[in-house]
Amino acid sequence: MLFPIKHATWQQLRVLARAKGKPVLGRDIRIVPTRFTKSGEFLDELIEAGLIERAEGKPIAGNEPEQFRVRYTLTEKGRHAAEYGEYERVRQPQQTAG
């Protein structure tokens, strides 16, 4: 099933798409510094969704969270999402209490 992505996520994926396969630092993917992007967990969510992956290599030195010191690249699914604003995902029905 195709799922649309948020505009902010689309912008983050476009940063990687413009890099044309070169790994990009996590801090460069954080376009707008908001509470949501402060800890770098948004990058973990993109990895879990299969849109990006960590590139080879060690994190660079610094005081920032590790997610900002690591380099990332797009997956095929992420490349499609960056181009069309949607990606294929298995629908998981929510369980209801009762």
Side-chain angles (χ1 to χ4, degrees):
M1 177 173 241
L2 286 175
F3 282 89
I5 58 175
K6 296 177 184 175
H7 182 74
T9 303
W10 176 77
Q11 288 178 313
Q12 293 159 353
L13 295 176
R14 292 298 301 162
V15 169
L16 289 161
R18 283 191 292 274
K20 300 188 191 249
K22 293 173 115 179
V24 177
L25 277 174
R27 77 170 75 130
D28 296 334
I29 299 170
R30 182 184 183 210
I31 300 169
V32 180
T34 64
R35 287 184 299 157
F36 178 69
T37 61
K38 185 163 104 173
S39 67
E41 290 178 6
F42 74 97
L43 293 165
D44 296 334
E45 292 172 6
L46 292 175
I47 290 173
E48 287 176 26
L51 299 173
I52 66 173
E53 61 189 3
R54 288 177 85 150
E56 298 293 321
K58 297 180 183 178
I60 62 171
N63 297 351
E64 301 171 307
E66 182 178 349
Q67 292 94 328
F68 295 138
R69 297 181 285 120
V70 174
R71 296 183 188 278
Y72 299 91
T73 58
L74 279 176
T75 62
E76 274 305 309
K77 186 189 292 189
R79 190 167 283 108
H80 179 85
E83 183 69 25
Y84 299 105
E86 61 188 15
Y87 69 101
E88 189 76 29
R89 173 174 101 183
V90 175
R91 184 168 187 256
Q92 298 174 350
Q94 297 178 346
Q95 293 186 1
T96 57

